[in-house]
Amino acid sequence: MNSLTLRVSLIAALVVAVFAVVTALALDRAFRDSAVYAVEERLQAQLFLLMGAAEVDPAGRVSLPERLPESRLMLPDSGLHARVGDDLGRTLWRSPSALGTYGLQPDDRAFVARMTVDWETPGGVVPLTFTLSEDRSGLEAQLRTYRRSLWGWLAVLAVLLLAAQSLALYLGLIPLRRVARELRAMEQGEQSALTGRYPVELKALTDNLNDLLRQERAQLARYRDGLADLAHSLKTPLAVLRGSLESRHDEDRRHDLEQLERMDRIVAYQLQRAATAGHRALAAPMAVASLVQRLGRTLDKVYPDKGVVFFDDVSADSRFRGNEGDLMELLGNLMDNAWKYGRSRVRVSSATEGRWLVLRVEDDGPGIPADQVPAILARGGRLDEGVPGQGIGLAVVNEIVSAYEGRLTIGTSEALGGARVEIRLPG
C-alpha cells in the first residue's frame, strides 16, 4: 500500500465505520433503556389508578367498575392485563383483557408491576396483591422500527462523512500533487527548479530541494571549469617536454618519451574520470539516435579510406537520463574503436528493457578474446599496438558506466562476427 491517498482513505473509512457502529450501539442502548423506563413508569401509574378504582366488601370480594381507568384493560389481546389476588395466590379479579385464552404473561416475557397491600374493611384487614402485566412485543416492535431508522440515517451520515473526508483529502494533497508534477517536468527537462507557491508545511522541503539542485549544478560547473583549466595548464608543459625529448638523440630519449606518453594517458584518463557526472534522477532525458547519427557522420570523415558501412538501428524513442558529454564520451569511444578495428561494417543498436537503456556497438573486426577483456579495461590496455591511440578508451567507458551504476559486457557479435560491446544504463 504505497499510495498515501489510499492509505489515508482506508484509515478514514475505518474510523467512520467504527464511529458509526459505536454510535449505533450507544444510541440503541440509550433508547432501549429510556423506553423500558417509560413502560415501567406507566405501569406503575396505571397500577395506582387500578387500586384507586377498586372496591372490597367485608367478605373480601373485590369489584371494579365496568369502565376501567385504562381502556386497554377492557380489550382482549391488547397486551395489557390486570389481576387482583389474595395472600393464597387465588385470583379475586382479572381484567376483561385477560379473559378467555388471554392471560398474564410470565415475568420474563412481559413488563410487570406488582404491589401487595393490606386492605382495611369493616370485617377486618384483607391482604391483596395487585398485578399489571404488559407484553414486550409492543416495545420490541418499536425498537425494530427505531433501529431501522437509526442504521439508515447512520449509513447516510457515514457516506456524507466519507465524501467530506475524500474532498478534504483531495484538497489537502493538491500541493503534493503539484510537487510531483513539477518534479516530472524537471525530469523531462521542461524546468530547472520548483517554482510553485506552497504552504508552510511544504515550503521548507521545496526550498531545500531547490537549494540542493542549485548547489549540485554549481559544484558540477566548478568541477568542470577546474578540470578544463587543469587540462589547459598541463597541455603546454607536456608539449614542451615532448618537443625537448624529440630533439634529443641520446639513449634515454625513447624511455623518456614512453614515460611522457604514459603520463599523458594517465592525466587524460583521470580528467575524464573526474569529469563524469554520473546518474542523476532529475536529469533531463536526451535523445540517443541524433547523437549516434552525428558520431557516425564524423567518424566517416575521420576514416574516409575504410569505407565503413554503418547500420544505425537506434530507436527514435531511446532516451538517456544523464549528461550529454558522458554519453558522447561513451559512444564516441565505442564507435571510434569499431571504426578503427572493424573491417567494413559497424552496427549500433538500442533497446529498452524495463528501466534500463541497452546500447550495443558491433563490428566485423577480429573481436576481443574473453581472456583479454580485463586487460583492455585497464588504463592503457591495448590489444593492437600498431593502431594509434592511448589505450584508455574502454577504461573510460567502464568508469562512466560504473558512475551511472550500469553494466558493461564485451562479447562476440553474432551478426557481424567481430566485437560486441553492450552497455546498460538506467533510463
Side-chain angles (χ1 to χ4, degrees):
M1 190 166 51
N2 293 326
S3 170
L4 182 61
T5 301
L6 178 60
R7 189 179 305 174
V8 174
S9 299
L10 290 177
I11 293 175
L14 179 61
V15 170
V16 170
V18 172
F19 170 78
V21 172
V22 172
T23 301
L25 293 176
L27 292 176
D28 182 79
R29 179 64 180 271
F31 181 81
R32 184 182 183 88
D33 291 345
S34 176
V36 169
Y37 178 77
V39 172
E40 291 175 346
E41 286 293 308
R42 186 175 69 251
L43 282 179
Q44 195 67 32
Q46 291 171 348
L47 184 64
F48 286 130
L49 290 175
L50 184 66
M51 293 173 59
E55 296 288 344
V56 183
D57 62 15
R61 289 188 294 270
V62 178
S63 62
L64 278 92
E66 292 184 3
R67 187 171 187 82
L68 297 173
E70 173 59 50
S71 59
R72 293 173 60 201
L73 291 174
M74 298 182 293
L75 299 175
D77 198 24
S78 64
L80 181 64
H81 311 136
R83 174 180 176 276
V84 180
D86 58 13
D87 56 344
L88 298 178
R90 293 174 299 185
T91 299
L92 302 179
W93 178 87
R94 61 180 176 180
S95 64
S97 61
L99 295 178
T101 58
Y102 308 105
L104 297 176
Q105 299 289 335
D107 290 355
D108 60 344
R109 294 176 54 190
F111 294 100
V112 178
R114 183 179 289 108
M115 182 175 293
T116 299
V117 297
D118 292 331
W119 199 285
E120 293 186 0
T121 66
V125 176
V126 179
L128 298 175
T129 299
F130 290 83
T131 304
L132 271 178
S133 173
E134 184 169 353
D135 198 322
R136 289 180 176 267
S137 59
L139 177 65
E140 296 299 333
Q142 185 180 6
L143 286 176
R144 285 193 296 271
T145 302
Y146 171 76
R147 286 167 180 163
R148 283 195 298 269
S149 176
L150 173 65
W151 284 105
W153 283 109
L154 282 177
V156 172
L157 179 61
V159 171
L160 293 177
L161 283 175
L162 287 176
Q165 288 184 343
S166 299
L167 178 61
L169 180 62
Y170 175 80
L171 296 177
L173 292 180
I174 285 178
L176 288 178
R177 286 192 290 271
R178 190 185 310 141
V179 169
R181 285 196 300 270
E182 289 206 69
L183 288 175
R184 284 194 296 271
M186 292 172 65
E187 290 177 353
Q188 297 169 1
E190 298 174 359
Q191 62 186 69
S192 60
L194 299 174
T195 58
R197 297 181 60 184
Y198 294 99
V200 293
E201 292 83 2
L202 290 179
K203 189 169 178 20
L205 173 65
T206 55
D207 289 347
N208 288 339
L209 184 57
N210 282 333
D211 291 341
L212 179 63
L213 292 173
R214 281 194 294 268
Q215 292 173 8
E216 182 192 16
R217 296 190 186 103
Q219 187 178 31
L220 183 59
R222 286 195 301 270
Y223 282 160
R224 292 186 178 277
D225 292 342
L227 291 170
D229 294 340
L230 177 60
H232 181 74
S233 300
L234 289 173
K235 180 171 31 174
T236 300
L238 288 174
V240 171
L241 286 174
R242 183 178 287 106
S244 176
L245 290 173
E246 289 176 349
S247 66
R248 289 168 49 185
H249 300 285
D250 53 47
E251 296 180 356
D252 296 331
R253 173 179 175 274
R254 182 175 180 277
H255 178 266
D256 291 343
L257 281 174
E258 289 178 353
Q259 294 302 315
L260 181 63
E261 184 71 20
R262 182 171 178 270
M263 185 167 58
D264 193 17
R265 288 198 302 264
I266 292 173
V267 169
Y269 171 76
Q270 294 295 345
L271 287 174
Q272 177 57 49
R273 180 182 178 186
T276 301
H279 179 64
R280 295 166 57 202
L282 295 180
M286 58 172 295
V288 179
S290 58
L291 180 60
V292 171
Q293 293 166 5
R294 292 203 311 268
L295 288 172
R297 290 193 295 267
T298 301
L299 290 169
D300 280 338
K301 296 176 182 178
V302 173
Y303 302 96
D305 297 335
K306 299 202 68 170
V308 171
V309 178
F310 177 41
F311 300 96
D312 182 2
D313 294 331
V314 177
S315 173
D317 59 355
S318 294
R319 294 290 184 272
F320 170 70
R321 192 178 299 280
N323 182 266
E324 183 179 5
D326 293 340
L327 183 61
M328 177 77 75
E329 192 71 26
L330 277 173
L331 291 175
N333 278 298
L334 295 179
M335 293 174 66
D336 181 70
N337 285 342
W339 252 263
K340 187 184 301 181
Y341 295 103
R343 295 186 179 92
S344 60
R345 292 181 296 168
V346 174
R347 179 174 181 263
V348 179
S349 59
S350 70
T352 302
E353 299 179 4
R355 68 182 189 92
W356 297 99
L357 169 65
V358 182
L359 297 173
R360 299 182 183 92
V361 179
E362 304 170 78
D363 61 61
D364 60 349
I368 302 174
D371 58 347
Q372 296 296 319
V373 170
I376 65 172
L377 292 181
R379 291 177 297 181
R382 298 168 64 187
L383 293 181
D384 187 355
E385 297 291 341
V387 179
Q390 296 178 329
I392 66 171
L394 284 177
V396 168
V397 170
N398 191 36
E399 288 288 342
I400 295 176
V401 171
S402 298
Y404 279 86
E405 300 178 355
R407 188 172 64 191
L408 182 147
T409 305
I410 298 177
T412 302
S413 171
E414 296 180 358
L416 303 182
R420 186 191 72 171
V421 181
E422 177 182 288
I423 55 177
R424 289 175 174 265
L425 300 169

